[in-house]
Each structure stands twice: as structure tokens, then as C-alpha cells.
Amino acid sequence: MRSPVLSLTWHLARSSGRRGLQAQLLASGAAAVGSFLLLVMIAAALGAGARADHTTWRTPDAVPAKLATAVQATTTTYVRREPVTVVNLAQMPGRETTPAPPGLSVFPKQGQVYLSPALTELVHKLPAGQLADRFPKATSYDTIGAAGLASPDELVAVVGRALGDPAVSRKAGEQSYYDDGLTRRAMVSGFVGTTASVFTGFDRGSVLLGVVLLVMPVVVLASAAGRLGAARREQRLAALRLAGATPRQILAMTAVEAAAVGAAGALAGALAYMALLPALAELPYGVGAWYTSQLWVGLPWLAAVVAAVTALITVSAVTTLRQVATSPLGVAQQADPRRTRAIRVVLFVAVLGYIWATTGDGGQLKPRQLIAMLVLFYGAFWLLGPWVVDRLGRIVGRVAVRPATLLAARRLSDDPRGAWRTVSGLVLAGFVAGFFSVSTLDFEGPSHEGEVAVIAANAADARHAAAEARTTLRRAGVTATVAVSSEDDFDSLLGGANGVIIHVHGGQESIDAAVTALTPLGSGRYPFTQEYVSAPDDTVIARIATVSTATLALSFLVAAASAGLTAAANVLDRRRVYGLLRLAGAQLKLLDDARVRETVIPLAVLAGGTTAMGVYGATQLNKAAGTTIDMSGAVQLALCSAVGALAMFAAIAGSRPLLRKVTAGPAQTAD
């Protein structure tokens, strides 16, 4: 016999009226936002890894001399404070022809120069004495293709050299503490390196950190979508249950309706992601914008996200029907306050104790362990939240002196899970704010702004280079002071190495001109500045700062959207209660004030706790990294708290017109 579930579900959905359609549209919109954000986060993580993979060929892996066919020397120079990666290649005579590097059609010949499109544009834009003269003279430049670049904005040069050129000599590959990840030389037979560039190697880790912290607010949003119209749905299905419908039929009807709404929204979010892919690729991160192909997650990930969001919304909707299946009469009469049990606080304390014991022993955790700790923390607070809301409602109800406060307290204690869902997004966003605001790293180290350094083999060569430097800079029109650095001078840009320190008088243009003019004196090594020395630390700080800003902004936006969505759903679900209160003489302002207090009371308590936890986690991270805390993070934390509060009030205010509308004509609404 044909099951009546599908036909009855479709009939009830069509006959649900405008209010039911509004709830379904809100749920579908939330599913679309959740699907879109999840796809963007996955795209960023996969794209960051693809970027890093596109830079591994520049870090040469040495092969035995008898198998080598070429010499590769990769180094870094700076122009306008931006890094320029220079790959010098020399074919070894009498050996097989070396394969072409990624992005090139053939192995470069001596004197041939390949430039990335962004570097080509910059070479033509700046005077030759500031950039172009650092490379061999060429009538025209060949172009490096996308296969050899991490970003369309990346500055990369590939230069063909003779085997005896200083740029590929052993001296050009000598390592010092400041060359880590920036300069390397090796004999190679191809381009299959395994080490990513220092400018892209940390990208995936920082993105994954942001994804882990942001995924829970997105899950909260999708979960809230599944519970939209929960009270109304419970009343309707409780009546069907009393009329003879089985628990299985009730659950099936809810699952079908929620899955249809969730799938429509998730698919819309996926289509929006596909349509906005070119615009997303223009957003800068790290070395610049993205190639569109890097942000395309592929059909399997696309289908998986749509299915996951649909499943999450369906499960969220079905889990609200436990009371309908077991006690439909109590639901129909609204006579079963949804209390919470103390087992929640026991589990919360146990999880926090485990996290404290694991992270408090001074040991450093692996990334997977850190992610597991974050998941445990989120899960613990998700368990504790409704219990705290329930207790807050009881406490406030005993001491309330104003009608709005009393109404808010009753709502908190009658439906603590519903009240928790309203504030949960911002409560968890408080952890993100506390973590990222205080985890702003501050690597303390020497600063040598305005200085340019040239390495020399010994003290005699350094003195000779200093004399040449004075003449060269005078010809280039650069005003500078030249001094010889010795092995005992550790407080210098050379850090105790032999060479020349040039104090350039003027702005960045003068520094770039000095680096270009002094390039022939480096015996194959480019003169370098403070940016070169501090590149690894500066890269980590910049990536964390970018991810923290993006994560903070998105987490608060998602949390505000979740709060607004839940607030609107609560108005629709409680329209009968609001109508009865209006019939009893309650003013609209009183009802609105009660809604605000219902949100502010648990938010103030719980968000304060998660923010403190975030500060503690950031402190532990800084301790493990051996860094200090940038105190400007305290200001950022205060701003985040203020913005979060404003976002919450704005979300509640957004549903105020809906409250006015559903309470218009209270006699009919309360019927």
C-alpha cells in the first residue's frame, strides 16, 4: 500500500499559510548561507595547499652530482617592501637537457629572463635603476605561466645563467641564520621539490585554524534553520499523533519537509558559491589574489557540503520531535517545560579538566590534537549552555521586580534550549574574539630600518666592497653612509658576518635604488634589507593577523544572522502566546523588552565565560610559541565585544516589525 507520508507532508506544507512559508524561506536562506560559507572555507583551505604546492619547485632538492643536469640557486630580493623570488638556473654542459620548470615552455638559456606578469608590470612601471637593473639586460622578457606561480600577483623571476656565473656559485648558496627559506642552492635534474616557499608554507595552517574556529558558528546557523517553526510544527504534528499517526510517520513527515527545505537552500548556496567564484578569487591573501581554479573545490566536495547541510537541518528538525512522539498530549497543551539535567555540568567540568590537564603540562600539541581540543571545547559549551540558561531563568525569576524581566525569566526556564540557540552563535564567537585578540603575536627583535647589507667573504673583501659601494652609490645618486661590519658586530643587519652596512638617507625609493646599484658587489647574492632578515616571522604574523580579522568578522556576522533568524522564528512560534498576552493587556513595548532581556541575560554570562576561555587559549599558544602578547589586542577585544553586542541588538530589532505584525488583531491571533 502506498504510504500517505509524502502526500500528507505536501498538503500540510501548502496549507501552512503565509507564516509557514515565511519559516520555510528563512530556513532555506539559513541553509544557503551555511552551505556558501562552508564551501568558501573548504575552498580557502584547499586553495592554500594548492598555492604552497605551486612554490615547491623553487626550493631545490639536491641530487647526486653524477645524476645532476643543472644548478639551481633560488634567492629573494625586495622591492617596495614586497618579496621578489629569483630562480637562477644554469645547464651543465655534456648532460641531458633539464626539463622546463613549471610555468616555462623550455629550460631558460643563458641571459634569458622570465618574469611573472605582476613582476613584468612592475619592471616597466619603476625606473630601471630601482628594479630592472637587478636582472640581466634583455630586449624583452618572457612570461612565467600560472603553473609556476602561487598567485597572479606574485613577483617571480627565472634567469638563465652560465655555469660559472656568481649567481649560481657555491658562495651564492651559503647559508646564514637570515637565509632560512629564502636562499638555497643545489644540483638538480628536475623540479620536484617538497619544501614550500616561506611565503606560502604557513598559509594552509593559518587557514585551517580559522576554519576550525568558524565552522561551529556556521553549524549553529544551519542547526537553527532546522528548528525554525519548531513550536508550530510540534503543535501540528501532536494533533496528528493524537489523531492516530504513528511516531514513525511523524518523524518521516518532519524529515521529508526539513530535507526538502534544507536541500533547496544548500543547493542555492552552492550555486551562489559557483557564481561568485571569480569575485572570491580577487580577495587578497598572503602573496596576493587567487587563481579561480585554486578555489574550485570540485563536484565531490560540492555534493558533500550540500548533503551535509541538508542532513544537519534534517537531524536538527527531527530531534525536536521526541516529546511529540512520546507525549503528544503534553505538547498539544504546552504543559511540559523543557528542563535540563545536571549531567550537563558534570560533563562540562570533566571535559575542561581533561583539556586543562592536557595543555597545562608545558608540552606542545600537534595540530590534530589542537583541533581535537577545540572540538571538545565547543562540544562542552554546547552541553553546558542550556543548563546555564535554565538556572539563570530560575534565579532571575525569583528576584525579578519588573514584568519584562519576569516574562524573560519564564521563557528562559520554560525553553532553555530555544533561548540558548538564540545566543549560542555569539557566545561561541566570544571565544574566537578572545583567542584572536590576545593571540596577536609580537616578535621582539632588532630593527635596522633604512639599512642595506652586502655580504663579503672576509674583512679585506669587506673593506674593498665598502670603497666600491661609495663610488657606486654616488653614481646612482643615492645619499648613504657606508660602514664595514666585522665578525664581532652582532648588533647589525649582518648579525656578525663580514660585509658592508649602508645607511640609506631617503625613502623606500632610495633603498630600492641602493639595492639595485649594489647588486654587482654581492658576488652572486643580492644586497638585503630588514624585510629579508625578518621575513619568516613577519610572514607568520601577517597570516595570523589576516586570518584573525577575517574569522572575527565572519564569526560575528554568522552569529548575528543566526540570532536574527532564531529571534524571527521565536516570534512566529510564540505568536499565540504573544496574542494572549496582548489580550491580557500587555503592551507591545513590554513584550519587546522581555525579548531583549531574554537574550541579554544569558549572553552576558556565557559570552563572558567563552571570551575568558579564548584569552586563556591564546596565552597558552603564545607561551608555546615563545612570543609576547601585543597589548593592542586588548583594545581589539573591547571593540569586538562592543560590535558583538550591537550585532545582537540589531538582530533582535530586525524581528520587531514581525512581532508587531503577528500581534495585530490579538483576538484572531490567540485563537
Side-chain angles (χ1 to χ4, degrees):
M1 189 174 91
R2 182 180 177 184
S3 173
V5 170
L6 291 178
S7 58
L8 184 57
T9 302
W10 173 244
H11 172 73
L12 292 176
R14 285 190 306 167
S15 61
S16 60
R18 186 172 56 185
R19 301 283 185 254
L21 179 61
Q22 288 174 340
Q24 291 169 354
L25 289 177
L26 285 173
S28 183
V33 173
S35 173
F36 175 79
L37 289 177
L38 285 175
L39 285 170
V40 170
M41 289 189 290
I42 294 172
L46 296 178
R51 277 182 157 188
D53 293 340
H54 275 223
T55 63
T56 55
W57 68 271
R58 305 172 201 163
T59 306
D61 288 341
V63 300
K66 63 181 181 179
L67 299 178
T69 60
V71 176
Q72 178 180 352
T74 299
T75 188
T76 307
T77 185
Y78 276 78
V79 61
R80 295 296 189 269
R81 295 183 178 272
E82 294 295 326
V84 180
T85 302
V86 182
V87 182
N88 296 294
L89 296 171
Q91 175 69 37
M92 298 176 68
R95 303 292 178 93
E96 294 182 3
T97 302
T98 308
L104 278 67
S105 57
V106 295
F107 189 88
K109 299 177 181 178
Q110 179 182 345
Q112 195 171 10
V113 180
Y114 287 80
L115 302 180
S116 63
L119 184 55
T120 301
E121 181 180 351
L122 195 59
V123 162
H124 290 107
K125 178 181 178 181
L126 298 179
Q130 294 182 22
L131 178 57
D133 289 347
R134 302 183 196 184
F135 310 119
K137 297 291 184 181
T139 55
S140 62
Y141 300 105
D142 295 302
T143 302
I144 303 174
L149 302 173
S151 163
D153 297 331
E154 198 178 20
L155 306 178
V156 181
V158 178
V159 182
R161 303 281 187 177
L163 190 59
D165 195 298
V168 293
S169 64
R170 292 183 182 274
K171 189 174 182 180
E174 291 179 353
Q175 295 284 307
S176 298
Y177 78 94
Y178 41 73
D179 294 316
D180 185 25
L182 299 173
T183 294
R184 187 169 178 177
R185 175 191 180 275
M187 302 176 71
V188 299
S189 59
F191 302 93
V192 288
T194 57
T195 304
S197 164
V198 69
F199 304 109
T200 60
F202 189 69
D203 287 3
R204 175 181 284 177
S206 58
V207 169
L208 284 176
L209 177 62
V211 168
V212 170
L213 291 174
L214 187 60
V215 70
M216 187 54 69
V218 175
V219 170
V220 169
L221 177 63
S223 178
R227 296 174 185 271
L228 279 173
R232 181 179 175 280
R233 186 188 301 124
E234 284 182 346
Q235 291 293 313
R236 183 182 65 189
L237 296 179
L240 290 176
R241 180 81 173 88
L242 291 172
T246 66
R248 179 178 296 180
Q249 290 174 329
I250 294 297
L251 294 177
M253 291 171 61
T254 302
V256 169
E257 180 182 354
V261 172
L267 186 58
L271 293 175
Y273 155 76
M274 295 170 63
L276 294 175
L277 203 55
L280 293 172
E282 295 298 323
L283 297 176
Y285 176 67
V287 293
W290 308 75
Y291 288 108
T292 304
S293 59
Q294 293 172 339
L295 294 181
W296 170 240
V297 298
L299 291 178
W301 273 111
L302 203 71
V305 168
V306 171
V309 171
T310 303
L312 180 61
I313 291 176
T314 303
V315 171
S316 177
V318 169
T319 54
T320 63
L321 300 180
R322 182 175 56 184
Q323 291 296 326
V324 176
T326 58
S327 181
L329 184 60
V331 172
Q333 296 177 343
Q334 296 182 335
D336 186 16
R338 306 179 182 191
R339 301 298 187 189
T340 56
R341 298 180 180 180
I343 187 63
R344 292 174 177 267
V345 72
V346 174
L347 293 174
F348 176 77
V349 172
V351 171
L352 283 193
Y354 173 74
I355 294 175
W356 182 282
T358 305
T359 61
D361 57 2
Q364 294 188 5
L365 299 178
K366 296 180 179 179
R368 290 184 180 180
Q369 293 173 310
L370 288 173
I371 292 174
M373 291 299 170
L374 286 172
V375 172
L376 277 176
F377 171 81
Y378 278 141
F381 248 97
W382 192 259
L383 281 173
L384 180 69
W387 185 86
V388 174
V389 171
D390 191 357
R391 269 52 189 181
L392 282 174
R394 298 185 190 186
I395 294 172
V396 173
R398 295 190 187 102
V399 300
V401 294
R402 295 180 179 275
T405 306
L406 181 60
L407 282 175
R410 285 301 305 270
R411 290 305 309 169
L412 291 177
S413 58
D414 285 348
D415 188 11
R417 296 179 184 86
W420 162 247
R421 287 192 293 270
T422 303
V423 301
S424 58
L426 278 175
V427 168
L428 297 178
F431 174 78
V432 178
F435 181 86
F436 274 129
S437 296
V438 181
S439 65
T440 303
L441 304 181
D442 185 16
F443 287 93
E444 296 180 354
S447 178
H448 304 283
E449 296 294 332
E451 294 184 6
V452 178
V454 178
I455 299 175
N458 49 54
D461 287 348
R463 289 191 294 271
H464 178 69
E468 290 190 6
R470 294 185 183 95
T471 303
T472 301
L473 292 172
R474 191 180 308 114
R475 291 174 180 171
V478 177
T479 303
T481 302
V482 181
V484 177
S485 177
S486 66
E487 294 182 353
D488 298 329
D489 186 10
F490 291 98
D491 188 19
S492 71
L493 193 57
L494 287 169
N498 287 305
V500 181
I501 300 294
I502 300 95
H503 299 266
V504 179
H505 306 294
Q508 188 60 44
E509 293 182 0
S510 297
I511 294 175
D512 291 338
V515 171
T516 305
L518 296 171
T519 294
L521 304 183
S523 301
R525 294 289 300 273
Y526 284 106
F528 58 87
T529 58
Q530 178 65 44
E531 289 83 9
Y532 182 93
V533 174
S534 57
D537 292 343
D538 289 346
T539 300
V540 172
I541 293 173
R543 298 300 181 273
I544 291 180
T546 302
V547 170
S548 65
T549 302
T551 305
L552 281 173
L554 286 175
S555 62
F556 278 108
L557 285 174
V558 171
S562 178
L565 187 69
T566 308
N570 287 339
V571 171
L572 293 175
D573 286 345
R574 300 173 187 172
R575 63 182 182 276
R576 181 174 181 273
V577 175
Y578 287 139
L580 291 173
L581 288 172
R582 288 295 302 277
L583 285 173
Q587 298 296 318
L588 185 64
K589 185 178 184 305
L590 174 65
L591 301 180
D592 196 44
D593 289 344
R595 290 197 314 135
V596 173
R597 286 171 170 78
E598 182 184 342
T599 301
V600 170
I601 292 171
L603 183 63
V605 175
L606 289 166
T610 52
T611 303
M613 291 289 182
V615 171
Y616 171 77
T619 304
Q620 293 298 107
L621 175 65
N622 291 335
K623 186 185 299 182
T627 63
T628 58
I629 297 175
D630 187 349
M631 295 311 296
S632 63
V635 177
Q636 186 180 18
L637 180 58
L639 290 175
C640 287
S641 301
V643 170
L646 290 175
M648 175 59 74
F649 288 129
I652 297 174
S655 58
R656 191 172 296 157
L658 185 61
L659 175 65
R660 185 182 300 109
K661 192 170 184 179
V662 300
T663 55
Q668 289 80 9
T669 303
D671 187 8

